[in-house]
Amino acid sequence: MAAERGHTRWGLILPFLAVPVLLLGFLVVGMFMWALNDEEDPREGAAAKVPCAEALAFGGAERPAGAEPHDCTVQRGIDTAYEAVLRMPREDVGDWLRETYPDAPKPRTGDGSCGALCLDVTHENGLPGTAEAHVVRVRVEYVNAETARLRFSAFTM
C-alpha cells in the first residue's frame, strides 16, 4: 500500500521523536532553573550553626569551665570563620585567656572599641600550633558584676 501523494509516514514517527526531545528540553530548563536559584548554600558563604567546642577548637581553645555557650557558627567560603558567644563568670576570664594563650600579648583593657578586654592572637604572637585558624580575636564585655560575655572569633586569611 503506497502512501498517497503529499502524505508521509512521519505521522507515525513524529510522536516517538517528540518524547526524547521534550525530556531533553525539560532537563535543560531544570538545570538553568537550579543554577539561577537564589537559595544560600550553607557550605558557601552562609553562616551555619556548629557545636561551640568545634568553634573554639578551630582557634586552639577549649570551653572555659563554667561557661554557657549561646551562639556558635561557621561561615565557609574562600576563608573559614568561626564565631562563638559564651557567658562565663567574670572573675575567670583573665585566667582562661592566660591558660589558653600563654604566649600571647597581654589583653588590652577598656579602650572603648573592644569592650572591657580585647585579645588578638596570630601564629606569630602566641597562637598554639594546634589551632587551624590564622587569627583569633576575643572581645569581652562585662554584663554585670558576676558575668562576662565573651565573643570569640577564629578565622583563616
Side-chain angles (χ1 to χ4, degrees):
M1 173 182 212
E4 292 180 31
R5 187 170 173 99
H7 292 279
T8 64
R9 294 186 185 182
W10 282 106
L12 295 174
I13 297 172
L14 199 55
F16 291 107
L17 291 176
V19 171
V21 169
L22 285 173
L23 287 176
L24 184 61
F26 283 123
L27 182 63
V28 169
V29 169
M31 287 176 55
F32 275 110
M33 295 298 289
W34 175 74
L36 297 175
N37 76 18
D38 289 338
E39 291 182 30
E40 291 286 332
D41 184 350
R43 296 171 294 175
E44 294 183 20
K49 291 195 177 283
V50 294
C52 288
E54 179 182 328
L56 293 166
F58 190 75
E62 292 181 5
R63 189 170 120 194
E68 300 173 26
H70 280 275
D71 188 30
C72 298
T73 59
V74 64
Q75 189 170 5
R76 291 185 176 96
I78 293 173
D79 296 314
T80 301
Y82 281 88
E83 302 280 334
V85 177
L86 310 166
R87 292 175 75 109
M88 64 182 293
R90 182 174 165 169
E91 64 187 19
D92 297 342
V93 172
D95 290 340
W96 179 77
L97 288 172
R98 280 188 296 280
E99 290 169 9
T100 303
Y101 302 111
D103 299 326
K106 186 177 178 182
R108 299 186 317 273
T109 58
D111 64 5
S113 66
C114 70
L117 285 176
C118 298
L119 180 64
D120 297 325
V121 188
T122 65
H123 280 291
E124 290 80 28
N125 72 353
L127 199 58
T130 59
E132 294 178 57
H134 298 150
V135 178
V136 169
R137 288 190 175 143
V138 180
R139 303 295 183 255
V140 179
E141 302 164 359
Y142 295 143
V143 176
N144 55 40
E146 294 87 31
T147 307
R149 180 180 301 116
L150 189 131
R151 296 183 189 278
F152 178 93
S153 302
F155 52 92
T156 58
M157 296 192 312

